[in-house]
Amino acid sequence: MMAKIQRFGGAMFTPVLFFVFSGIVIAVASVINDPAIVGNIAEEGTLWNKVWEIIEEGGWTVFNNMEILFAIGLPLGLAKKANARAALESFVLYMTFNTFTSKILENFGSTFGVNFDQQVGEGLKMIGGVKTLDTGVVGSIIIAGVVIYLHNRFFDTPLPEYLGIFQGSALIGMIGFFAMFVMALLFSWIWPIFQQGVQSLQAFMVRSGNFGVFTYIFLEKALLPTGLHHFIYAPFQFGPAVVEGGTTLYWMEHLKEFASSSQSLKALFPEGGFALQGLSNLFGVPGIALAFYATAKKANKKKVLALIVPGVITAVLAGITEPFDYTFLFIAPVLFFVHAVLAAILATTSYALGVVGDMGGGLIEIITKNWIPMSANHWQTYVIQVGVGLAFILIYFLVFRFLILKFDFKTPGRADEEVTMFTKADYKEKKQEDGHEDDLYHDQALGFLEAFGGAENIENVNNCATRLRVSVKDENQVQNDDAFKAWGAHGVVRNNKYFQVIVGLNVPQVRESFDKLVEENEK
């Protein structure tokens, strides 16, 4: 069950990969097209203004179609076979669901307490050109989950030869057609009630102030190992938990308004406290890294430095912390709990001092979506943010150093085993032996495959943004972590027959080579 949740988390991250760049485009376009910043060249109706309006509108593509992206993205990671077919099936059936829902509410809206004649925005939304219930990404995830189940269950179902045309995706489409009709009826009945509950939740969370922010950030971080953290942040960041459309969309929609106002950001956007989870990436991870380095054995310090520096850079700049989190999560889980508590205290302290915004990622995203567009009227807020953050780097360092030494946790560089690193010379030698000198990903994938016990031991393969996820037939055939680290892995997460090899941002290329190697063995 845990492995399924973790695989869900990785698949869910796929659509989110598009959000960072799109957010940067919108933020940059907003700044460059603001007359208050660049002068008369950006006045309404000028060529400059029109060109940047076009660019900004292109940046909105991803945010305006989040539901569709999630409906397509989940099958890419969770379908056990024919992932591309599953993604197409999910898109078709998700739009079928929306069309059914639209017509049901048009004809029987009053029965379900929905005024379908009202404007889009009051619980209704245009999705793929269809006016339907605004179920957000939660709805698309649920529908995609149903389609993935149908795909995994029936895609390979054989039919008589004269019905062969209805096999595969066609069969999923037929079964799914009727399933979507049932889902549309259920959503038409249940979702309006849920929307009323969400409105109550919005008011409660905003009224909760600092306590609400602390609880949100703590749960988002503490549940990361289980994958359940996606259920915490998704309704807030991309759904209607505190503001319509989620904090990410709301912030981008009001970027110019907030930037030009002299009112405090916290007064303008109090809900922005529920989008500060990125602060622990920026200020927490460096403090933890310093503690790891300071507590490592003297002989291992250089090797530890080589291990943690890439992870820190990735966490700080891009907000991707998996390689770092899992380094100590399974060595000393209590440290991860402490990390969650400190992350919540950091965000709550920052929020109490007026720091809000869209800060769920890394430094690049924070700078482009917050610091640059808001600098004219709100630079004081970011001075406070950096000041608090630097103080927490020290707090993280002192707390982690104390706990590591007090309880003798075997963090990197403290274990009796040597901290092994794979050298460039060794890597080149291995590539020459295998005859793939120009195919880095092939050799890395081959090394991982051998460490898993060979292609005959592979049951299923998928990946998320940074991890290769593999289920095996016999976990006893899988080699120790050093065998994976020798090929560039940052770490390995083990859960019975389910494994996660922390590769980094090049994991899609490694996974493609890994799949080819497994397929070649099956021929």
Side-chain angles (χ1 to χ4, degrees):
M1 178 64 182
M2 185 69 69
K4 290 181 179 179
I5 292 175
Q6 290 171 334
R7 289 199 298 275
F8 167 80
M12 187 170 172
F13 192 80
T14 303
V16 179
L17 292 173
F18 293 98
F19 294 168
V20 176
F21 175 72
S22 295
I24 291 172
V25 169
I26 296 170
V28 170
S30 298
V31 171
I32 293 179
N33 206 22
D34 189 343
I37 297 176
V38 300
N40 295 335
I41 191 174
E43 290 290 345
E44 185 74 27
T46 63
L47 178 61
W48 177 276
N49 171 261
K50 292 178 179 178
V51 170
W52 281 104
E53 279 188 350
I54 294 171
I55 294 174
E56 181 178 349
E57 195 64 24
W60 279 106
T61 303
V62 169
F63 295 103
N64 290 338
N65 296 280
M66 287 194 300
E67 297 86 354
I68 294 175
L69 284 176
F70 277 94
I72 295 173
L74 261 65
L76 291 175
L78 294 178
K80 296 179 180 178
K81 64 200 80 172
N83 306 65
R85 292 284 193 96
L88 179 60
E89 294 157 9
S90 183
F91 169 72
V92 170
L93 291 176
Y94 177 61
M95 292 310 302
T96 302
F97 159 79
N98 284 318
T99 304
F100 275 141
T101 303
S102 177
K103 205 63 181 177
I104 289 171
L105 295 179
E106 181 181 338
N107 293 330
F108 304 103
S110 59
T111 304
F112 300 105
V114 176
N115 179 13
F116 196 70
D117 294 329
Q118 65 184 341
Q119 293 296 317
V120 169
E122 299 293 329
L124 302 173
K125 186 174 183 179
M126 295 295 294
I127 299 179
V130 178
K131 183 180 179 182
T132 183
L133 275 177
D134 185 4
T135 60
V137 297
V138 176
S140 63
I141 289 170
I142 293 173
I143 297 302
V146 173
V147 177
I148 291 166
Y149 169 79
L150 295 176
H151 177 87
N152 290 339
R153 176 70 176 82
F154 298 109
F155 184 78
D156 288 336
T157 301
L159 295 177
E161 186 174 350
Y162 61 89
L163 294 177
I165 193 174
F166 296 112
Q167 290 184 152
S169 293
L171 180 61
I172 306 305
M174 289 189 296
I175 298 173
F177 181 87
F178 298 102
M180 292 304 104
F181 180 75
V182 175
M183 294 298 294
L185 283 173
L186 289 174
F187 267 82
S188 297
W189 169 40
I190 296 173
W191 199 258
I193 301 173
F194 173 75
Q195 287 176 328
Q196 294 176 2
V198 166
Q199 292 174 357
S200 300
L201 175 63
Q202 291 174 358
F204 170 77
M205 293 302 289
V206 173
R207 287 197 307 268
S208 297
N210 296 337
F211 175 75
V213 171
F214 178 91
T215 303
Y216 167 76
I217 299 295
F218 172 76
L219 291 176
E220 191 275 337
K221 178 61 69 176
L223 294 176
L224 185 148
T226 68
L228 290 173
H229 68 300
H230 296 284
F231 293 100
I232 299 297
Y233 78 74
F236 285 81
Q237 199 166 340
F238 311 123
V242 289
V243 287
E244 189 69 31
T247 54
T248 297
L249 181 62
Y250 191 90
W251 177 260
M252 301 312 299
E253 286 179 337
H254 295 80
L255 199 64
K256 290 182 180 179
E257 174 190 335
F258 295 161
S260 61
S261 175
S262 58
Q263 231 181 325
S264 72
L265 284 176
K266 189 174 181 180
L268 292 167
F269 187 40
E271 301 86 354
F274 301 101
L276 300 180
Q277 58 265 41
L279 297 185
S280 63
N281 305 334
L282 196 58
F283 302 113
V285 170
I288 297 172
L290 288 173
F292 283 1
Y293 178 78
T295 56
K297 294 179 180 179
K298 186 175 181 180
N300 292 333
K301 283 187 181 294
K302 288 186 178 179
K303 295 177 180 178
V304 170
L305 197 64
L307 284 173
I308 63 177
V309 167
V312 171
I313 292 175
T314 302
V316 170
L317 293 182
I320 297 172
T321 61
E322 284 94 337
F324 205 88
D325 290 335
Y326 286 105
T327 298
F328 62 89
L329 175 61
F330 291 90
I331 295 173
V334 66
L335 292 182
F336 193 83
F337 175 80
V338 172
H339 180 26
V341 172
L342 289 178
I345 296 174
L346 166 59
T348 305
T349 303
S350 301
Y351 177 70
L353 294 175
V355 178
V356 297
D358 185 13
M359 303 183 186
L363 184 61
I364 295 174
E365 185 179 357
I366 290 174
I367 288 175
T368 53
K369 295 170 68 174
N370 298 268
W371 292 0
I372 293 177
M374 300 292 163
S375 60
N377 289 316
H378 303 288
W379 61 269
Q380 302 94 331
T381 300
Y382 302 124
V383 171
I384 293 172
Q385 178 188 359
V386 173
V388 172
L390 293 176
F392 266 83
I393 291 178
L394 179 61
I395 293 171
Y396 261 93
F397 168 73
L398 294 175
V399 171
F400 270 75
R401 182 180 180 278
F402 170 78
L403 292 174
I404 291 170
L405 295 177
K406 176 70 174 178
F407 299 100
D408 193 24
F409 291 127
K410 300 301 181 182
T411 48
R414 290 181 54 78
D416 294 332
E417 299 86 14
E418 183 183 1
V419 181
T420 58
M421 292 295 294
F422 189 70
T423 67
K424 186 175 182 179
D426 292 335
Y427 187 72
K428 285 185 175 180
E429 181 181 348
K430 177 65 177 176
K431 289 198 290 182
Q432 291 172 354
E433 290 175 359
D434 292 344
H436 291 273
E437 296 185 35
D438 299 324
D439 192 349
L440 183 151
Y441 302 122
H442 172 280
D443 295 309
Q444 191 173 24
L446 181 60
F448 291 157
L449 185 59
E450 291 174 353
F452 275 119
E456 61 277 0
N457 194 38
I458 302 301
E459 183 71 30
N460 187 45
V461 182
N462 55 57
N463 68 276
C464 69
T466 58
R467 286 169 280 175
L468 182 70
R469 301 167 182 267
V470 178
S471 61
V472 300
K473 297 174 184 177
D474 182 4
E475 64 269 30
N476 296 319
Q477 294 186 32
V478 181
Q479 300 178 28
N480 60 29
D481 289 6
D482 289 340
F484 292 92
K485 290 179 180 178
W487 286 101
H490 298 285
V492 182
V493 181
R494 299 169 182 262
N495 184 17
N496 298 322
K497 294 184 178 182
Y498 301 96
F499 295 79
Q500 300 176 34
V501 182
I502 303 170
V503 179
L505 294 177
N506 62 343
V507 70
Q509 291 82 6
V510 176
R511 189 260 175 94
E512 182 178 356
S513 295
F514 195 94
D515 285 340
K516 288 180 180 178
L517 289 169
V518 174
E519 291 172 4
E520 289 173 2
N521 183 77
E522 293 175 347
K523 292 180 180 178

